[in-house]
Amino acid sequence: MVGKLFNIFRHTIFLILLKILLLAFVSSSFIFISSRVFAKKIKKEMLNLEPEEITNLYVNTKSLVQQQAAIIDNIHEGVVVLNSSLEIININKKVFEILHEFDIQLFIKRFYDIFYEKKNVYFKEIKIGHEKVFVSIIHLLEDENHLGVIITFYKHLEILNLAKELTSINNVITGFRENNHEFKNQLQVISGLIQLKKYDLVQEYMKNLENSNMKILTEIANISDYYILGILIGKFSVIKENGINFTIDQDSILFKEHGFITSLDIITIVSNLLENAIEALEKVKINNKKIELLLLEDDDSIQITVFDNGLKVDPNIKNKMFERYVSSKGTNRGIGLALVKSKIELYNGQFILEEVDNGKYFTIILNKEN
């Protein structure tokens, strides 16, 4: 019985070992094949790169990221990079130098339509806290996929100083050109009268010139801002050459400094309103064409009113005349009033259009407070 049981036991052990070996072989084969398939799939996902290549790529990528961070930090403008979820993935130090009070969530909330409608904005003048800056917002799109946003902030003072230099130079050149042209005409009139020996008319003509110059000086006597004076003196000659009588209300008053409001912003508004008035008068046939300007300033606000007796505003564009490229004057026009609108928004101001029987009043009010 012991021998018989021993043989049965030995046979059972043999069968168990055989099954174990068979199972181990099958398992090893399955694991080997699965691991090969899995490794091949992983390698495919890793773009068929070997471990050494992945290491080199990681080192190079890390170096590239560091280089990109260094480049962004050394950019002269403030740069903020957002991902598609509008979360910050990079921001340079310059942002906090330009803007001491910067909160990305408040910024996105303020310009909700720009971010969520994926609009691009170039050099928009805005106020954040107590600082005034220019900002560009560029959406990164690939096909229809939104990859992120790049926000760039520019120092307001630097662009303002550059614009002042360009504007003042342009005003001087324009003034010289117009005064030179007018001076030549006056000399020709005087020379002709002298040749005709009409000395009494020469005296009368020169007296009229003196009165005309005194009239201009009297009208702008209460305007202390030299940039505004420069543009107005230039506009006198241009408007006069168009056969239009241009007057500045004697109640006008303008300080030399305007708080947060810059002279260039006032020039932008005045120039565009006067240009619109000139163009409105070009299309009407009346004898007494006139433009009147009123500038009023106090501690709280600045009011700019321009009156002309030209064409009325086209009813088809009245509700959207501040939109860019919307104009009754043809294609590629309508930029001037869009600039005026940006200044109104910048200073939380208001616009009033009043049409009367003999013309229309454009009034812009800018707030000097934050």
Side-chain angles (χ1 to χ4, degrees), residues 50-63:
E50 295 296 333
E52 295 82 4
E53 295 173 323
I54 294 173
T55 303
N56 292 333
L57 181 63
Y58 170 76
V59 172
N60 293 335
T61 303
K62 187 177 179 181
S63 175

Side-chain angles (χ1 to χ4, degrees), residues 61-123:
T61 303
K62 187 177 179 181
S63 175
L64 182 60
V65 169
Q66 291 173 340
Q67 291 174 10
Q68 289 175 344
I71 291 170
I72 290 177
D73 269 337
N74 285 280
I75 292 176
H76 189 63
E77 292 78 25
V79 177
V80 180
V81 182
L82 307 179
N83 60 17
S84 58
S85 301
L86 301 181
E87 299 169 339
I88 294 178
I89 59 175
N90 211 329
I91 183 169
N92 68 355
K93 300 174 184 177
K94 203 70 179 180
V95 172
F96 300 102
E97 292 180 19
I98 297 173
L99 297 168
H100 299 94
E101 303 173 13
F102 179 68
D103 186 323
I104 187 62
Q105 296 304 323
L106 289 177
F107 185 79
I108 292 172
K109 185 177 179 181
R110 178 175 173 182
F111 299 101
Y112 180 88
D113 58 329
I114 292 174
F115 284 99
Y116 289 93
E117 294 179 18
K118 299 179 178 59
K119 297 178 182 177
N120 289 337
V121 171
Y122 303 94
F123 281 92

Side-chain angles (χ1 to χ4, degrees), residues 272-303:
N272 282 294
L273 291 183
L274 290 178
E275 288 296 328
N276 278 359
I278 293 170
E279 291 180 352
L281 286 164
E282 286 177 349
K283 299 181 180 180
V284 295
K285 295 181 180 179
I286 55 176
N287 295 325
N288 184 26
K289 295 182 179 181
K290 61 182 179 180
I291 295 175
E292 297 172 1
L293 173 65
L294 172 64
L295 299 170
L296 294 176
E297 181 173 5
D298 56 26
D299 294 335
D300 300 320
S301 63
I302 295 177
Q303 176 183 326

Side-chain angles (χ1 to χ4, degrees), residues 144-294:
E144 295 183 357
N145 297 321
H146 185 249
L147 305 179
V149 186
I150 295 179
I151 308 170
T152 309
F153 296 98
Y154 306 87
K155 280 187 177 179
H156 185 269
L157 186 60
E158 293 179 358
I159 295 179
L160 178 64
N161 289 337
L162 178 60
K164 272 188 177 180
E165 291 179 13
L166 294 174
T167 304
S168 58
I169 291 171
N170 185 60
N171 286 341
V172 170
I173 293 172
T174 303
F176 274 130
R177 186 187 298 119
E178 291 163 352
N179 290 334
N180 182 48
H181 179 67
E182 190 171 357
F183 185 62
K184 283 182 179 179
N185 290 338
Q186 293 167 359
L187 286 179
Q188 288 172 359
V189 173
I190 294 171
S191 175
L193 291 174
I194 290 174
Q195 290 178 20
L196 294 172
K197 298 181 180 181
K198 301 291 185 180
Y199 303 115
D200 55 337
L201 293 179
V202 172
Q203 186 176 5
E204 183 181 350
Y205 181 72
M206 294 184 69
K207 186 176 180 180
N208 289 334
L209 286 179
E210 183 181 358
N211 290 335
S212 176
N213 291 331
M214 285 301 296
K215 179 175 179 292
I216 293 174
L217 292 174
T218 301
E219 288 176 334
I220 62 178
N222 291 325
I223 298 175
S224 303
D225 189 324
Y226 292 112
Y227 290 101
I228 309 299
L229 284 174
I231 199 69
L232 290 179
I233 290 172
K235 291 295 182 184
F236 262 108
S237 301
V238 173
I239 295 174
K240 186 178 178 182
E241 286 180 359
N242 283 273
I244 301 170
N245 181 30
F246 180 36
T247 58
I248 299 176
D249 196 299
Q250 292 186 353
D251 293 330
S252 294
I253 181 170
L254 208 60
F255 305 154
K256 187 175 182 179
E257 301 290 339
H258 319 286
F260 279 104
I261 302 174
T262 65
S263 300
L264 291 179
D265 293 334
I266 300 172
I267 288 174
T268 298
I269 295 172
V270 171
S271 296
N272 282 294
L273 291 183
L274 290 178
E275 288 296 328
N276 278 359
I278 293 170
E279 291 180 352
L281 286 164
E282 286 177 349
K283 299 181 180 180
V284 295
K285 295 181 180 179
I286 55 176
N287 295 325
N288 184 26
K289 295 182 179 181
K290 61 182 179 180
I291 295 175
E292 297 172 1
L293 173 65
L294 172 64

Side-chain angles (χ1 to χ4, degrees), residues 297-343:
E297 181 173 5
D298 56 26
D299 294 335
D300 300 320
S301 63
I302 295 177
Q303 176 183 326
I304 303 165
T305 300
V306 174
F307 169 81
D308 71 81
N309 58 347
L311 287 178
K312 300 291 180 68
V313 178
D314 187 345
N316 295 323
I317 66 166
K318 185 175 289 187
N319 294 329
K320 53 182 180 179
M321 61 183 175
F322 282 110
E323 295 179 14
R324 189 175 288 266
Y325 304 123
V326 173
S327 174
S328 60
K329 304 179 184 75
T331 56
N332 298 322
R333 303 297 301 274
I335 297 176
L337 285 181
L339 291 174
V340 172
K341 180 187 177 185
S342 70
K343 303 305 177 186

